[in-house]
Amino acid sequence: GSCRQHGPIMSHPPYEESDLSAALFLQLVMDGGAEDLSTGTDSNDAGTCALTANASDTRPTRSTDSTCRPIRHIKLDFKQIEAVGPVMDILKSTHRPRYGQTIFLNADVLPGPGVREHSSVTVQAKQFIEACFRYIDSMPDEYATNFAFSLGYKADYRSGEPYNKQDVTLMSEIVSQYNIES
């Protein structure tokens, strides 16, 4: 399958199959529809576009109402560039971040320790950042500040190889080029 046939799924390499679609995950987490994601079912189990996400709860600090639902911050970890557009379309059409909620847009956009010489990244920085900005720029202004980039390195830590000055310089150039310093 592909993203166009099945839609993006929630998985992490080396796994490429999952019974949890990105659409269902976002519905459950962003809308606060479930405390336990394992109870959700979805027929979208044959997709191949990998996306991982982590949801963390933070309690609102200015509310004294004990029934107030937590704000769930989400990190969407894109493993394939083909998943970015469909996930952004899902976000745009069905979900609106609540005040104070941050959605972290993450991808390993540079080769790092242990893979510099023999591996390339599957998500290129230019494609990833520009695809995300197309979505963010189409959102109402009050939602645009709910997004943050989390750019990383594809690395094999078993190599024992450290990050180097060139790693930092290349990432700094990307961050500066797209004005995503803060």
Side-chain angles (χ1 to χ4, degrees):
S2 71
C3 280
R4 287 180 189 88
Q5 293 173 326
H6 303 288
I9 59 169
M10 304 305 296
S11 68
H12 195 281
Y15 304 103
E16 294 185 355
E17 294 183 10
S18 173
D19 62 354
L20 181 60
S21 70
L24 179 59
F25 173 83
L26 290 169
Q27 176 189 350
L28 293 172
V29 173
M30 292 186 75
D31 296 340
E35 291 300 317
D36 180 4
L37 290 179
S38 66
T39 62
T41 59
D42 189 75
S43 61
N44 193 4
D45 62 0
T48 60
C49 292
L51 167 73
T52 62
N54 302 313
S56 62
D57 290 350
T58 57
R59 303 281 172 193
T61 56
R62 294 177 22 170
S63 174
T64 57
D65 180 4
S66 63
T67 63
C68 187
R69 285 194 325 211
I71 296 170
R72 294 184 177 172
H73 304 286
I74 302 170
K75 175 185 161 194
L76 299 174
D77 183 359
F78 293 92
K79 299 299 185 187
Q80 295 178 351
I81 192 67
E82 295 85 3
V84 176
V87 169
M88 294 305 210
D89 287 342
I90 292 166
L91 284 169
K92 184 176 180 179
S93 66
T94 61
H95 302 291
R96 295 290 183 254
R98 295 185 307 190
Y99 177 77
Q101 179 183 47
T102 301
I103 298 175
F104 294 91
L105 305 171
N106 174 262
D108 293 340
V109 298
L110 290 174
V115 298
R116 283 187 205 96
E117 304 302 320
H118 58 353
S119 181
S120 63
V121 294
T122 57
V123 179
Q124 299 296 318
K126 177 179 173 40
Q127 289 178 297
F128 176 68
I129 295 168
E130 290 178 3
C132 291
F133 271 136
R134 276 192 297 278
Y135 167 72
I136 294 167
D137 290 345
S138 71
M139 293 290 289
D141 289 342
E142 63 267 24
Y143 298 123
T145 59
N146 291 91
F147 295 90
F149 283 96
S150 171
L151 305 178
Y153 301 86
K154 181 176 180 182
D156 182 353
Y157 296 101
R158 296 171 296 181
S159 72
E161 188 179 331
Y163 288 95
N164 61 38
K165 184 176 179 179
Q166 183 180 8
D167 294 332
V168 175
T169 299
L170 289 171
M171 187 65 77
S172 179
E173 288 172 358
I174 291 169
V175 167
S176 294
Q177 177 183 353
Y178 289 98
N179 195 26
I180 55 176
E181 288 91 356
S182 56

